[in-house]
């Protein structure tokens, strides 16, 4: 089973994981790891290692991070660089992406990553009532 670390600046990771669990239910080997304002990238790397230790055994691990290039991304990319064949990282965390990740957690990292990129993009839509897209049926 794919282990997942949901990570962010501040409490976003905990909140989005809580929301996903309300919809999908709790799953094993999923943890939220957050970066507090007074913490360093090194502190965050230590939090990641503690989470990985808590989820053992971990054969494959996916980091879902809030922002490309931010501190959670930078710390996670260092961990992934140590195990590039078994660990992966996807930035741009949103709720559709996380729910999809939970639903396909039994698949391999190589299958999950491209699927999540599509799911996250598909979750970005706007309600257009000026064009007949069928979205007005939701009202």
């Amino acid at each position: 089973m794919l282990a997942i670390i949901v990570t962010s600046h501040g409490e976003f990771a905990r909140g989005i994981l809580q929301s996903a669990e309300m919809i999908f239910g709790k799953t094993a080997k999923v943890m939220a790891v957050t970066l507090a304002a007074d913490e360093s990238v090194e502190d965050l790397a230590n939090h990641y290692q503690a989470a990985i230790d808590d989820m053992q055994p971990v054969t494959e691990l996916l980091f879902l991070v809030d922002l490309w290039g931010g501190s959670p991304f930078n710390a996670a990319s260092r961990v992934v660089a140590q195990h590039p064949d078994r660990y992966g990282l996807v930035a741009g965390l949103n709720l559709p992406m996380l729910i999809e990740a939970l639903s396909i957690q039994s698949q391999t990292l190589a299958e999950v990553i491209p699927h999540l990129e599509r799911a996250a993009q598909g979750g970005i839509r706007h309600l257009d009532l000026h064009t007949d897209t069928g979205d007005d049926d939701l009202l």
Side-chain angles (χ1 to χ4, degrees):
M1 172 182 279
L2 181 64
I4 300 171
I5 293 178
V6 182
T7 183
S8 69
H9 297 83
E11 294 297 312
F12 175 64
R14 284 191 182 95
I16 198 167
L17 181 56
Q18 180 185 25
S19 295
E21 289 174 341
M22 287 176 67
I23 296 164
F24 188 82
K26 282 200 172 276
T27 62
K29 295 195 182 229
V30 178
M31 294 187 75
V33 176
T34 61
L35 175 66
D38 62 346
E39 291 181 312
S40 68
V41 173
E42 200 58 41
D43 292 329
L44 188 57
N46 291 334
H47 296 322
Y48 290 157
Q49 191 57 55
I52 293 167
D53 291 346
D54 286 347
M55 292 190 287
Q56 288 299 327
V58 171
T59 55
E60 290 189 314
L61 172 68
L62 176 63
F63 286 92
L64 297 178
V65 303
D66 59 352
L67 183 66
W68 183 277
S71 295
F73 173 90
N74 293 334
S77 66
R78 292 177 191 164
V79 176
V80 171
Q82 295 172 1
H83 307 279
D85 55 327
R86 299 184 308 119
Y87 290 10
L89 186 156
V90 177
L93 175 63
N94 64 29
L95 191 55
M97 174 198 291
L98 181 52
I99 292 169
E100 259 329 284
L102 298 177
S103 73
I104 61 173
Q105 196 176 358
S106 62
Q107 295 182 19
T108 67
L109 191 62
E111 296 167 316
V112 169
I113 288 176
H115 183 83
L116 293 184
E117 290 176 318
R118 289 187 303 272
Q121 291 171 353
I124 300 169
R125 300 175 58 189
H126 79 281
L127 177 64
D128 184 358
L129 297 178
H130 299 290
T131 305
D132 187 12
T133 61
D135 288 340
D136 55 346
D137 293 339
L138 301 174
L139 302 177

